[in-house]
Amino acid sequence: MIEVLSVEVYGGFNAVAAPLEVCLDFLNGYRSRFPALYVCGNSSKALDGIRGNFRVRRGFTIHQLIEILLNAYQDMIFIEHDALLFEDCDFHTLEDFVMLLRQIGRDRTVVYFTTNRDRIFDFLTTLADRYILVEAEEGGYFIAEVDEKGINQRFYPKMVGQLTLEVF
């Protein structure tokens, strides 16, 4: 099971936009005997911070990313959005990519996430089975969850006096 703050992520094509610390929290919260697939592009903000049972693959073009996903066998797939992959991408390739994410999400869990939203990511969220938006605010996080049932909004407060243990 994966949780983005208080929201449980289940099977299907899930899109998540959240601050880096929230992304690292749900990635590092993934526990399973079986490795998950972590796919990133040219640059990754979260890769250095993840710990756990992950098989890491990099795609430097949208076609390589599609090839990685076509050959994936893992039940849990995390994909970090990289806007550079879509620079020279035509609409048909983008459409094929989104349909592949939806198809893989039929029998597995796909979490397509970003720390910085852009137009491509926003387009992908319109076709996702579920979209979770997390925005940092003073005192906590605003969470909006959009799925077939509608929109669910909530506020997740940070614990008062919460301390962070630094790793040496």
Side-chain angles (χ1 to χ4, degrees), residues 11-15 98 101-102 105 108 110 112 124 127-130:
F13 169 32
N14 300 277
V98 175
L101 292 174
R102 290 181 58 83
R108 296 182 260 179
V110 176
Y112 190 87
L124 293 172
L127 300 170
D129 297 323
R130 187 174 193 201

Side-chain angles (χ1 to χ4, degrees), residues 3 14 20 28 36 45-46 57 62 91 111 134 138 147 153 158:
E3 270 192 6
N14 300 277
L20 180 60
N28 291 326
K45 294 184 178 170
R57 298 287 311 271
I62 188 66
F91 181 74
V111 179
V134 179
E138 192 171 327
D147 60 11
Q153 299 179 39
K158 291 181 183 175

Side-chain angles (χ1 to χ4, degrees), residues 90-116:
D90 62 8
F91 181 74
H92 297 294
T93 305
L94 178 61
E95 188 177 45
D96 289 345
F97 176 66
V98 175
M99 291 303 124
L100 178 61
L101 292 174
R102 290 181 58 83
Q103 180 181 0
I104 292 171
R106 288 185 185 153
D107 59 348
R108 296 182 260 179
T109 303
V110 176
V111 179
Y112 190 87
F113 72 95
T114 188
T115 57
N116 295 317

Side-chain angles (χ1 to χ4, degrees), residues 78-161:
F78 295 98
I79 305 166
E80 184 176 356
H81 175 68
D82 185 353
L84 295 175
L85 296 179
F86 301 97
E87 280 186 350
D88 296 329
C89 178
D90 62 8
F91 181 74
H92 297 294
T93 305
L94 178 61
E95 188 177 45
D96 289 345
F97 176 66
V98 175
M99 291 303 124
L100 178 61
L101 292 174
R102 290 181 58 83
Q103 180 181 0
I104 292 171
R106 288 185 185 153
D107 59 348
R108 296 182 260 179
T109 303
V110 176
V111 179
Y112 190 87
F113 72 95
T114 188
T115 57
N116 295 317
R117 291 174 42 216
D118 60 17
R119 290 180 181 174
I120 298 293
F121 183 82
D122 289 343
F123 172 73
L124 293 172
T125 61
T126 62
L127 300 170
D129 297 323
R130 187 174 193 201
Y131 175 40
I132 302 168
L133 172 66
V134 179
E135 292 181 347
E137 294 186 5
E138 192 171 327
Y141 298 97
F142 170 77
I143 304 168
E145 174 188 1
V146 182
D147 60 11
E148 73 276 352
K149 298 175 206 162
I151 299 173
N152 185 5
Q153 299 179 39
R154 65 186 81 137
F155 186 77
Y156 185 84
K158 291 181 183 175
M159 300 297 220
V160 177

Side-chain angles (χ1 to χ4, degrees), residues 26-87:
F26 76 75
L27 286 166
N28 291 326
Y30 173 73
R31 300 280 183 253
S32 177
R33 295 184 312 145
F34 306 106
L37 178 63
Y38 180 87
V39 183
C40 59
N42 298 313
S43 61
S44 172
K45 294 184 178 170
L47 184 58
D48 291 338
I50 64 170
R51 308 286 180 261
N53 196 5
F54 292 98
R55 181 166 185 244
V56 178
R57 298 287 311 271
R58 276 192 178 224
F60 297 103
T61 66
I62 188 66
H63 298 289
Q64 287 178 346
L65 185 58
I66 290 171
E67 187 68 29
I68 289 168
L69 293 174
L70 285 172
N71 293 320
Y73 60 87
Q74 291 84 354
D75 288 333
M76 178 63 87
I77 301 172
F78 295 98
I79 305 166
E80 184 176 356
H81 175 68
D82 185 353
L84 295 175
L85 296 179
F86 301 97
E87 280 186 350

